[in-house]
Amino acid sequence: MQNENGTFEKVMETVSKIESEVSKHIIGQKEIIRQVLMCMLAGGNVLLEGMPGLGKTRLVNVLGKVMGLKFSRIQFTPDLMPADVTGTNIIDRESVEEMFRFQPGPIFSNIVLADEINRATPKTQSAMLQAMQEKTVTVANTTYKLPEPFFVLATQNPIEMEGTYPLPEAQMDRFLFKLNVPSPDFGELKDIIKLTTTNREDKVETVTNAEEIILIQKAAREIPVAEPVLDYAIRLVIATRPDGEGSPEMVKKYVRYGSSPRGAQAIVSTARIRALLCGRYNVSFEDIKNVAYPSLRHRIFVNFDAVSDGISPDMIIDGIIGDVKIYQ
């Protein structure tokens, strides 16, 4: 199967190499690694939520090295200002007229690690919005284009932790995936201790580059999605809306707001990448179900009844997948 960017076999081989190399340096978290990779190759941003010390920052760092991309890290704190993220105009004293020039901030990178993004104030969090959606930054009426490819991989601590600010709904919607990072089990924790408390340190090998990542993204968009599969993805998204026709009773009872159209875009674009990772040239219903959870869990806003009854967005997605028929 040939396309203008080369064979899909070549794309699949490169993607497999990336996944294999990252897995050498991150113990456990195989499903998280795959989902982050799926999201990035679909051109999206990722939100990783979990307790401190689970390797979220290390995962992003390793991905940058393996992909051969320019990497920068922003530690979000309550006193961080928007200009610390985007950059600002400074006086160029070397110039005869002392004209202002733009000093780019750390957001001018291929992979931006927004570490503990929910520890900054909403004012600073919002500095990321334009970059995440439009891949540009505007400072003093001048718009600057960010390098390609561009990804924001943000980490956040659970909302219940002290000193955190919940991300606004508009910003949550800019993340293609939200991933819940689990704690390691006994075997994984043992391997982590062995790896991190000795002098052994394996070198991270770079297996691709920015140009090839862009080609993979373009090739993935050509993976066909059959009409019934596309219809199923759309019905899942519509079923998240409490005012939608035929929405499950669970949604009507527990959901305040459902997913925006970006939820459907996230499901379809990442399902294509999952098909490639599984060695297929077409998207299956199983691909749609698999990516529905990370695509929708941060786009479903539950009400007070759900909180009091202990109902999570993932439980609601379970109910939607059980209720929505594949063929209709």
Side-chain angles (χ1 to χ4, degrees):
M1 195 170 185
Q2 185 83 21
N3 72 357
E4 63 181 355
N5 298 317
T7 63
F8 281 124
E9 286 85 355
K10 172 66 175 171
V11 169
M12 289 163 61
E13 181 186 345
T14 304
V15 171
S16 179
K17 282 182 182 177
I18 296 170
E19 188 175 29
S20 175
E21 184 62 25
V22 172
S23 297
K24 291 178 187 176
H25 304 278
I26 302 294
I27 294 171
Q29 313 287 18
K30 290 192 180 299
E31 186 60 22
I32 294 292
I33 292 170
R34 169 160 285 205
Q35 290 178 328
V36 170
L37 195 54
M38 282 161 44
C39 189
M40 292 178 69
L41 295 178
N45 308 300
V46 189
L47 179 61
L48 296 155
E49 181 175 304
M51 297 296 288
L54 296 181
K56 303 184 294 294
T57 303
R58 177 172 171 77
L59 170 60
V60 179
N61 208 331
V62 169
L63 271 167
K65 291 177 181 176
V66 170
M67 291 177 151
L69 301 176
K70 184 181 176 185
F71 170 86
S72 67
R73 178 175 182 266
I74 307 171
Q75 182 64 53
F76 280 69
T77 57
D79 61 347
L80 190 75
M81 298 299 290
D84 298 327
V85 174
T86 59
T88 188
N89 288 319
I90 62 173
I91 295 176
D92 187 355
R93 297 196 178 279
E94 294 181 3
S95 170
V96 177
E97 301 176 357
E98 288 198 356
M99 296 293 292
F100 285 96
R101 66 177 175 83
F102 179 63
Q103 178 68 42
I107 203 165
F108 284 82
S109 194
N110 296 119
I111 297 181
V112 176
L113 170 58
D115 213 0
E116 296 187 300
I117 189 170
N118 61 333
R119 290 207 179 278
T121 60
K123 178 179 180 180
T124 303
Q125 291 172 4
S126 66
M128 307 286 290
L129 278 174
Q130 183 185 7
M132 291 169 67
Q133 180 62 31
E134 301 168 25
K135 318 296 187 192
T136 57
V137 168
T138 301
V139 177
N141 297 326
T142 303
T143 300
Y144 303 91
K145 192 169 174 56
L146 294 168
E148 291 187 3
F150 175 79
F151 312 102
V152 173
L153 275 68
T155 71
Q156 75 169 7
N157 301 120
I159 299 301
E160 292 78 14
M161 292 192 71
E162 188 177 349
T164 59
Y165 299 84
L167 293 176
E169 289 84 351
Q171 183 149 17
M172 292 289 280
D173 206 24
R174 260 67 170 189
F175 288 103
L176 208 64
F177 270 7
K178 179 189 176 185
L179 304 177
N180 296 325
V181 183
S183 298
D185 59 26
F186 181 88
E188 291 169 348
L189 184 55
K190 188 174 181 180
D191 290 339
I192 289 170
I193 299 303
K194 286 181 177 179
L195 178 67
T196 57
T197 59
T198 65
N199 289 323
R200 181 186 142 210
E201 187 172 345
D202 296 331
K203 184 179 179 184
V204 179
E205 182 183 347
T206 299
V207 301
T208 185
N209 54 46
E211 290 73 21
E212 196 166 19
I213 295 297
I214 293 170
L215 290 178
I216 291 172
Q217 290 175 343
K218 289 180 179 177
R221 294 189 192 106
E222 298 182 10
I223 298 290
V225 181
E227 203 72 19
V229 178
L230 179 61
D231 290 348
Y232 177 62
I234 293 170
R235 289 202 306 275
L236 287 180
V237 172
I238 290 175
T240 66
R241 302 170 186 168
D243 57 348
E245 187 178 340
S247 295
E249 283 304 314
M250 188 180 194
V251 171
K252 291 178 178 177
K253 181 178 180 182
Y254 290 123
V255 175
R256 189 160 45 103
Y257 303 113
S259 172
S260 73
R262 288 194 184 105
Q265 292 171 335
I267 289 174
V268 173
S269 60
T270 53
R272 285 185 162 115
I273 303 295
R274 185 178 189 270
L276 272 180
L277 286 169
C278 294
R280 286 182 281 103
Y281 298 133
N282 63 289
V283 177
S284 69
F285 290 109
E286 193 55 41
D287 293 325
I288 299 295
K289 290 179 182 178
N290 180 274
V291 301
Y293 290 88
S295 297
L296 298 178
R297 65 168 56 108
H298 57 302
R299 294 183 166 97
I300 293 175
F301 300 95
V302 297
N303 58 26
F304 179 77
D305 289 341
V307 175
S308 60
D309 290 350
I311 301 297
S312 69
D314 278 26
M315 294 165 71
I316 291 170
I317 297 169
D318 278 336
I320 290 171
I321 289 176
D323 189 84
V324 176
K325 301 292 184 286
I326 288 179
Y327 293 104
Q328 190 166 314

